Amino acid sequence: MTHNAIQRLLLKRFALAAGTYALALLLLWLAFFTGHYDAPLNSVAIGSALVVISQAALFALFYSGCNLRFSDPSLTEAQVLLGLGWQTWLIAHLGDARGAFLVFYVLILLFGLFHLSRRAFIRCAVLVFFSFSTITLWEGYHFQLPNPALALLQVCVLLIVLVWLVLYARYVQVSRQRMRQRRFALQAHQDTLRGMMRQLEDLVATDELTGLFNRRHFLRLASRELNAMDADVVHGLALIDLDHFKRINDIHGHAAGDQVLQAFAGVAGACLRDGDVLARYGGEEFVVLLPDCDAERLTACCERLRIAFTDVELVGLNVRNLSLSAGMTLLELGDDLDDALQRADQALYRAKADGRNRCAAAWENLDA
């Protein structure tokens, strides 16, 4: 999540806490006007003002983004301790209504249930029990408890609730940790699956022997290039056939033929530009698409590739006179890919008929 998203979430949590404070203040004034709050009016007013000031300070801290400098940007423990302090001050001035306001201790601890560590939550729970018990013992010591049995019952009830909350918080934290681990494990499995899918796509698109694109993937890429062509752009297309490849297989074996195919793939990769598309079209036949390429550049590229292939020397094999023939054509806006491949194939047939080891262009046949 981004810092802005985190801040929005934290502001929403703060708004929830501030709303709880507003309800507590409303109940405080209700307790005062009904005679259940044992303090003068100025004490209630000062206490309410301090609550409002503390919440305004926290809002300024969140709104300015200064909270992000802390290890816990939500400031959960600080807010819980502040709430417990105010609640204890409130409890200390309540008489018979003290038991009704004990529920706010639970609400404050629930606020930190998902964000406090186990030790911090236990510290807060111990502080609650110690604070309430101290108030009760102090009043009992000064004989100010109107009903000591009820006060003892309240302490016992609070103890049981706090123990339950600590155990439940532990259960929630362990469950969240397990869910987090499972989420991480699921994410790892998804990453592995995506990697396997990419490998599968590569296998589907790639010729296993030469490492070049296969025919199906080339047709997909070439169709995409044709659909994205501009009116003033011309692409070059060439079909390339390795000369006398069947004789190489018959004399030297299929392993030697495979090595010749791999050698051509290496030479072609070195002769082409970034963005040019080279694929194994089938058997000893290859196809190359040169985007944004005129007749002169296409011819120069095919001739450079033809000459480079004749200079190939295969390690451990006595294969001589390697050569290739190429048929070239140009693609313009509106051209059909099948028609272009047919033109290139006819030009290739003419190059082989004229003695092989040469490049023939479809536009030369038109000029003739």
Side-chain angles (χ1 to χ4, degrees), residues 7 10 61-70 72-75:
Q7 282 296 85
L10 295 180
L61 195 63
F62 282 110
Y63 191 77
S64 64
C66 294
N67 61 304
L68 295 175
R69 300 176 184 177
F70 297 92
D72 179 17
S74 63
L75 303 177

Side-chain angles (χ1 to χ4, degrees), residues 296-347:
E296 183 178 356
R297 290 177 61 186
L298 176 60
T299 302
C301 178
C302 290
E303 284 293 338
R304 184 169 63 251
L305 177 56
R306 183 185 65 82
I307 295 172
F309 186 63
T310 59
D311 295 334
V312 168
E313 294 184 4
L314 301 177
V315 178
L317 290 176
N318 188 22
V319 179
R320 304 294 181 184
N321 302 321
L322 291 176
S323 64
L324 60 82
S325 301
M328 304 175 294
T329 189
L330 295 176
L331 286 167
E332 297 179 350
L333 183 65
D335 264 346
D336 182 75
L337 182 59
D338 291 336
D339 293 341
L341 288 169
Q342 183 64 27
R343 294 197 304 268
D345 187 63
Q346 291 175 356

Side-chain angles (χ1 to χ4, degrees), residues 109-366:
L109 289 177
L110 287 177
F111 180 77
L113 181 65
F114 295 99
H115 299 278
L116 289 178
S117 65
R118 182 186 181 188
R119 291 184 178 181
F121 194 87
I122 293 176
R123 285 198 302 267
C124 293
V126 170
L127 178 62
V128 168
F129 182 75
F130 177 80
S131 300
F132 186 78
S133 300
T134 300
I135 294 173
T136 303
L137 290 174
W138 177 265
E139 293 182 350
Y141 179 77
H142 290 86
F143 301 100
Q144 296 176 355
L145 286 176
N147 191 339
L150 178 60
L152 179 61
L153 179 62
Q154 291 172 348
V155 172
C156 293
V157 169
L158 181 61
L159 176 61
I160 293 174
V161 171
L162 291 176
V163 171
W164 183 88
L165 278 176
V166 169
L167 295 176
Y168 184 69
R170 175 58 179 168
Y171 169 76
V172 170
Q173 291 166 357
V174 171
S175 299
R176 291 188 68 194
Q177 183 65 24
R178 289 176 179 173
M179 290 179 63
R180 189 180 296 110
Q181 292 174 351
R182 290 175 181 175
R183 185 171 67 250
F184 289 155
L186 178 60
Q187 184 176 356
H189 288 318
Q190 290 176 341
D191 293 339
T192 302
L193 182 59
R194 281 192 288 265
M196 294 175 64
M197 289 296 295
R198 286 193 294 268
Q199 292 178 359
L200 182 60
E201 291 174 357
D202 291 340
L203 290 174
V204 171
T206 305
D207 174 63
E208 183 178 359
L209 177 62
T210 61
L212 303 176
F213 292 136
N214 57 27
R215 176 173 182 165
R216 177 183 299 176
H217 192 63
F218 171 81
L219 294 176
R220 187 183 303 116
L221 292 177
S223 298
R224 187 186 306 165
E225 288 289 342
L226 282 177
N227 293 331
M229 282 183 67
D230 296 328
D232 56 345
V233 174
V234 177
H235 293 344
L237 179 70
L239 280 176
I240 300 170
D241 187 86
L242 305 188
D243 296 332
H244 306 296
F245 185 77
K246 183 177 183 302
R247 187 171 61 188
I248 295 174
N249 276 335
D250 292 341
I251 296 176
H252 301 280
H254 289 281
D258 292 345
Q259 192 171 344
V260 170
L261 294 174
Q262 293 170 343
F264 170 80
V267 170
C271 292
L272 298 177
R273 309 168 300 175
D274 291 338
D276 295 341
V277 182
L278 174 67
R280 186 180 180 187
Y281 202 62
E284 71 276 15
E285 199 169 35
F286 297 84
V287 60
V288 60
L289 176 69
L290 279 65
D292 194 11
C293 178
D294 55 20
E296 183 178 356
R297 290 177 61 186
L298 176 60
T299 302
C301 178
C302 290
E303 284 293 338
R304 184 169 63 251
L305 177 56
R306 183 185 65 82
I307 295 172
F309 186 63
T310 59
D311 295 334
V312 168
E313 294 184 4
L314 301 177
V315 178
L317 290 176
N318 188 22
V319 179
R320 304 294 181 184
N321 302 321
L322 291 176
S323 64
L324 60 82
S325 301
M328 304 175 294
T329 189
L330 295 176
L331 286 167
E332 297 179 350
L333 183 65
D335 264 346
D336 182 75
L337 182 59
D338 291 336
D339 293 341
L341 288 169
Q342 183 64 27
R343 294 197 304 268
D345 187 63
Q346 291 175 356
L348 174 62
Y349 178 80
R350 193 170 66 255
K352 298 177 77 68
D354 290 343
R356 295 184 172 85
N357 193 19
R358 67 190 66 237
C359 300
W363 59 83
E364 293 174 349
N365 189 39
L366 294 176

